[in-house]
Amino acid sequence: MMKLFYSQVKDSVRYALSDRNSIIFIGILAVIISIVSKIPDPHMPLRVLRVLIFFIVGYGSFISYYTLKGEDKHPSLRHYKRIFWEGFKKSLIIAIYSIGLMFFKYHAENYFAVGNIILAAACVILFVLNYILMIGGLFNRYLNWGTVIKAFDIPEIIRLMRVFDLASFIKVLIAVIIAKVFVILIVISFGEGMFPIEMIFSLSTFFLAPFLFLATKRLVGLNVYVLLENANLLRE
């Protein structure tokens, strides 16, 4: 098991480094979005630049999609319209699932505050289940040619998630979280001005974050590919 995971990590690192143009391009987009997000009250033309996040999300989505199809290629940057549209659709799916996540999080905090541990624990469990459904929904969509509605096909998602054992799910979850943290951090403003620490953070997103993003998206795809292959659930 560990030997397989180690080989997947090596493959993911090699994959991320095999296309430096992608790393540089994603890094440039990340820096632009990061800087714009840290400018207090930016003018409308600058605000519009935040939609570039859809391109980053879409690019990562295509990496996982190609990996689940058993392919090693990188998404072509020339297909920018398809990548941007994919990023928008995936972001929309995550936003819909996030409504439930925020609902359960809000009520869990309130119940904890008033000392109702049972209801608070129930909300935490529902939060976790909601998050698992979201991950499963995104994978199920990849396996169904990108059809958005398949991200909400609960019976099919449950059947898909049954192929995961605990260890495999934890590995996939860690990689998913790392990839999502990258996307979240580049649009979070840590201060009310362009302080030196803000510039340092923005520059770090250019050098390290794109590599981690590409590698973790590949790693997620490889882990799920092996599980689905063993369960004979891969589709042409």
Side-chain angles (χ1 to χ4, degrees):
M1 178 72 72
M2 288 304 299
K3 185 176 181 180
L4 174 61
F5 184 66
Y6 177 68
S7 67
Q8 290 173 340
V9 171
K10 287 178 60 178
D11 179 288
S12 300
V13 171
R14 184 167 55 249
Y15 175 87
L17 294 176
S18 66
D19 190 345
R20 296 179 182 177
N21 290 335
S22 297
I23 291 181
I24 293 172
F25 190 71
I26 295 298
I28 290 173
L29 292 184
V31 169
I32 292 173
I33 299 169
S34 181
I35 291 176
V36 170
S37 299
K38 293 172 178 57
I39 297 176
D41 300 321
H43 297 295
M44 184 55 67
L46 291 178
R47 289 180 184 272
V48 172
L49 290 176
R50 293 180 180 179
V51 303
L52 293 175
I53 194 69
F54 293 146
F55 191 94
I56 295 177
V57 173
Y59 193 88
S61 185
F62 269 107
I63 289 176
S64 295
Y65 175 75
Y66 287 151
T67 303
L68 288 176
K69 295 297 181 182
E71 300 178 10
D72 298 326
K73 66 179 181 179
H74 283 258
S76 173
L77 294 174
R78 291 177 295 179
H79 299 152
Y80 62 92
K81 291 182 180 179
R82 287 179 57 197
I83 293 174
F84 187 89
W85 179 236
E86 165 62 23
F88 174 79
K89 290 189 292 183
K90 182 175 180 179
S91 298
L92 178 62
I93 292 169
I94 293 174
I96 293 173
Y97 272 107
S98 294
I99 294 173
L101 292 173
M102 290 187 292
F103 176 84
F104 295 129
K105 178 178 180 292
Y106 173 80
H107 285 283
E109 292 174 347
N110 283 347
Y111 286 132
F112 270 124
V114 299
N116 194 328
I117 304 302
I118 295 178
L119 287 179
C123 287
V124 170
I125 292 172
L126 291 172
F127 177 92
V128 172
L129 291 176
N130 194 151
Y131 191 80
I132 292 173
L133 281 177
M134 181 179 71
I135 295 175
L138 292 173
F139 285 131
N140 192 52
R141 176 173 168 263
Y142 294 151
L143 296 174
N144 286 277
W145 308 281
T147 305
V148 173
I149 195 64
K150 286 296 183 177
F152 305 99
D153 189 333
I154 304 302
E156 198 167 302
I157 294 170
I158 292 174
R159 287 194 297 271
L160 173 62
M161 297 307 291
R162 285 177 179 172
V163 307
F164 286 81
D165 56 77
L166 181 60
S168 297
F169 182 76
I170 290 175
K171 288 188 295 184
V172 170
L173 183 61
I174 291 173
V176 167
I177 290 174
I178 292 174
K180 288 189 182 302
V181 165
F182 160 71
V183 175
I184 292 171
L185 286 182
I186 64 174
V187 295
I188 289 180
S189 180
F190 289 92
E192 297 183 353
M194 290 302 296
F195 299 108
I197 189 64
E198 304 295 332
M199 291 299 297
I200 293 173
F201 176 81
S202 296
L203 291 175
S204 71
T205 63
F206 176 79
F207 290 107
L208 181 61
F211 163 74
L212 290 176
F213 180 66
L214 269 62
T216 51
K217 297 300 288 187
R218 173 70 172 178
L219 184 59
V220 169
L222 288 173
N223 272 276
V224 178
Y225 179 86
V226 171
L227 290 171
L228 297 181
E229 185 178 42
N230 292 338
N232 296 317
L233 291 177
L234 289 175
R235 301 168 186 171
E236 296 297 330

